[in-house]
């Protein structure tokens, strides 16, 4: 099947959204934890985690305009603090439920029955049920004028994860904890390891 | 295990690279096909595909400074044309081999034994063995000053995929074709479907 740009433009709107979102492939499911200046906690699922560099350790997140993620963006902008949380695949229903449009004063942790934890003096909460939690500090928000999205760039402040997932060479065996993968806006997967390969040479 | 920013900065360099790259989680494995002005073809694996918007349909890719992906970036900049190719999990060894530093005059298609195809009048080649191929046109390159990476933004021109993967609502069942997933710089996975969920409401 060969689908042109014109076909895509003429797709029914929901069909197009589902097609293009799922066309971007498999992605890490990330629950982003934040807290407003007033103390309202928020937890929201993202699928746009980006590795930007290892030294300094920088990760990016894409925020779409007018999305249900607006509270997250506001909290990050106001406080500079956020957490990235990966969960096991069996938590997929609760993870998905964080995409609902709860009022700002409602904590998704409470509404969905998840555990809010704080770590040291970090303002943002982490998810108690997470396999891996990463505490982030906002470094920069880069606007993408083409379509009004924003690239949120942060530096890694602290990583909390089970000892046994960290291999001798630094590799984190996320599949051993059956960490949740997503595709599009509503599809969830677990992974099966195929293998690791040595550094490739011509 | 609680790992601070200071711990990460003091990690041995290769350990840190492996740790931070794998910490970014599971990602879609993408083979990027390009051709230089002179006609030299290139195929290189990326793990940084980003969904930026459905209308217009825009995808991003991260290009790291001084990476083995420099030929890809140059070809995209010169010609404005590139393809994104997803492969089945059993092609993981050939997919990984595209990360080797071949000379610019060497075609990874030929060196690795993969099929180069052209579609209509698109300058960039696609991968004959791909499950899904997406022909892209460069729209913008956004530099990220913090660490010298570049965000390559392109618009979708054409999508080639098997009819039977496209569901009635537009969702593309990549798992049905066992599309390859990656983590870090050398780990490969296939996926197992858990399920799709309805639009979440509070």
């Amino acid at each position: 099947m060969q689908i042109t740009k014109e076909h895509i433009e003429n797709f029914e709107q929901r069909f197009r959204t589902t097609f293009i979102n799922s066309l971007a492939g498999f992605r890490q499911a990330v629950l982003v934890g934040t807290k407003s200046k007033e103390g309202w906690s928020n937890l929201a699922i993202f699928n746009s985690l980006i590795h930007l560099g290892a030294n300094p350790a920088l990760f990016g997140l894409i925020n779409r305009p007018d999305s249900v993620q607006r509270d997250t963006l506001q909290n990050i902008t106001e406080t500079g603090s956020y957490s990235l949380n990966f969960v096991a695949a069996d938590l997929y229903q609760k993870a998905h439920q964080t995409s609902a449009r709860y009022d700002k004063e409602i904590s998704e942790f409470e509404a969905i029955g998840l555990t809010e934890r704080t770590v040291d003096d970090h303002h943002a909460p982490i998810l108690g049920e997470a396999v891996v939690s990463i505490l982030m500090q906002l470094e920069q928000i880069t606007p993408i004028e083409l379509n009004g999205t924003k690239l949120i760039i942060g530096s890694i402040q602290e990583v909390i994860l089970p000892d046994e997932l960290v291999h001798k060479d630094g590799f984190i065996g996320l599949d051993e904890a059956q960490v949740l993968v997503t595709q599009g806006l509503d599809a969830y997967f677990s992974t099966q390891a195929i293998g690791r390969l040595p550094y490739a040479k011509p």
Side-chain angles (χ1 to χ4, degrees), chain A:
Chain A
M1 187 187 283
Q2 206 162 337
I3 296 168
T4 65
K5 191 180 175 179
E6 290 68 36
H7 290 138
I8 294 171
E9 286 165 0
N10 290 320
F11 279 166
E12 185 272 325
Q13 190 227 318
R14 275 172 305 180
F15 187 97
R16 180 174 57 228
T17 302
T18 303
F19 182 85
I20 299 293
N21 269 283
S22 62
L23 184 64
F26 297 108
R27 20 239 331 125
Q28 181 59 49
V30 187
L31 297 174
V32 180
T34 56
K35 194 191 280 185
S36 73
K37 277 192 303 190
E38 298 84 359
W40 291 319
S41 297
N42 192 284
L43 187 70
I45 192 165
F46 279 65
N47 63 4
S48 60
L49 186 62
I50 306 164
H51 173 267
L52 289 173
N55 190 26
L58 298 173
F59 281 179
L61 277 180
I62 297 291
N63 194 277
R64 313 219 190 124
D66 307 320
S67 74
V68 292
Q69 305 154 346
R70 66 193 181 290
D71 292 343
T72 299
L73 179 63
Q74 193 183 351
N75 292 346
I76 293 175
T77 308
E78 282 180 6
T79 69
S81 176
Y82 56 110
S83 71
L84 307 171
N85 303 274
F86 301 167
V87 296
D90 58 7
L91 267 183
Y92 79 107
Q93 285 162 313
K94 288 188 173 187
H96 183 70
Q97 186 58 31
T98 66
S99 66
R101 286 185 183 268
Y102 290 99
D103 290 337
K104 192 178 166 77
E105 304 77 33
I106 304 283
S107 159
E108 284 81 2
F109 291 98
E110 278 182 33
I112 300 170
L114 291 165
T115 310
E116 179 176 345
R117 273 184 51 203
T118 49
V119 181
D120 304 337
D121 55 353
H122 293 285
H123 184 79
I126 67 166
L127 175 62
E129 288 82 359
V131 175
V132 176
S133 294
I134 310 168
L135 284 146
M136 303 291 295
Q137 179 183 293
L138 175 65
E139 294 293 336
Q140 177 181 302
I141 296 181
T142 301
I144 298 167
E145 289 85 4
L146 271 177
N147 70 349
T149 51
K150 292 185 165 75
L151 171 59
I152 303 167
I153 303 177
S155 55
I156 297 175
Q157 302 299 308
E158 201 153 333
V159 182
I160 298 160
L161 80 178
D163 294 18
E164 62 270 23
L165 291 192
V166 183
H167 296 202
K168 275 188 184 162
D169 68 348
F171 184 81
I172 304 168
L174 296 177
D175 63 304
E176 296 155 33
Q178 284 292 290
V179 161
L180 183 66
V181 170
T182 181
Q183 186 200 351
L185 297 172
D186 58 17
Y188 296 93
F189 303 85
S190 61
T191 59
Q192 277 193 305
I194 297 172
R196 293 183 65 193
L197 292 174
Y199 186 82
K201 289 173 189 169

